[in-house]
Amino acid sequence: MKDKAADSDHTLPQVAIDDQVRQLAVTADLPSNQARELVRRHGNDPRKLEELAKSINAAN
């Protein structure tokens, strides 16, 4: 049987994710929906997210 508590240890609380999305949107000058999608697809590593956001901005 799968333990749901064990699964939740590897994810950030929604509040932390929302804060990270807001920070990424401001720092990288991205719309919040685009920042949220980056976090959803690529995880919550701030350096990686900032790098991806910069590449998106460079492409635009």
Side-chain angles (χ1 to χ4, degrees):
M1 185 147 97
K2 197 170 185 179
D3 183 11
K4 288 184 181 183
D7 288 342
S8 65
D9 291 343
H10 300 290
T11 60
L12 290 174
Q14 187 62 43
V15 173
I17 293 170
D18 290 345
D19 288 344
Q20 188 170 26
V21 167
R22 257 191 304 280
Q23 180 67 29
L24 181 61
V26 169
T27 306
D29 193 30
L30 293 174
S32 59
N33 61 334
Q34 195 170 21
R36 183 172 304 283
E37 186 64 18
L38 281 177
V39 171
R40 187 186 71 75
R41 286 186 179 187
H42 300 285
N44 58 3
D45 180 1
R47 288 185 208 143
K48 182 177 181 179
L49 291 169
E50 189 173 326
E51 188 176 304
L52 289 165
K54 285 180 182 178
S55 69
I56 289 171
N57 284 338
N60 292 334

